Amino acid sequence: MKTSEAEDVLVKFTNAYESGSIGVFGQLFASGMSGRRQMLSDYERVFLATRQRSIKFNQLKHAASGERVATSGYATVTTTDQENRT
């Protein structure tokens, strides 16, 4: 994967996270990934408890190693619940 492709993956991740589509979100992770089921279960719980979600990535750094790219940086997650509390 090229570092430019890592940015595309993060955009897909952001769109899936904010949309609340568990199916679309789940497609971004390999079916054999360790902890995938628990992560999707946790996300479903967050989705059901909120009416809006946003995630913003800042100060990203990519390190390429062969076919893999390691990405590090900050993510800010904001959720708004059913009573409009952020």
Side-chain angles (χ1 to χ4, degrees):
M1 172 183 283
K2 298 174 185 172
T3 55
S4 61
E5 292 172 338
E7 297 288 337
D8 292 336
V9 169
L10 289 173
V11 169
K12 289 178 184 176
F13 179 91
T14 300
N15 290 338
Y17 182 87
E18 292 178 349
S19 75
S21 172
I22 295 161
V24 173
F25 191 66
Q27 289 175 3
L28 297 175
F29 303 94
S31 58
M33 182 179 122
S34 175
R36 178 181 185 270
R37 181 173 290 166
Q38 181 62 47
M39 180 193 61
L40 292 177
S41 176
D42 290 344
Y43 176 69
E44 183 173 26
R45 182 180 45 78
V46 168
F47 171 67
L48 293 174
T50 60
R51 63 176 193 81
Q52 187 174 5
R53 296 145 304 283
S54 69
I55 186 167
K56 304 287 183 236
F57 295 98
N58 300 317
Q59 300 178 8
L60 294 179
K61 294 180 184 176
H62 303 296
S65 175
E67 293 293 314
R68 296 186 171 269
V69 174
T71 300
S72 61
Y74 296 98
T76 304
V77 177
T78 305
T79 60
T80 305
D81 68 11
Q82 306 301 342
E83 285 83 36
N84 264 351
R85 291 180 297 201
T86 301

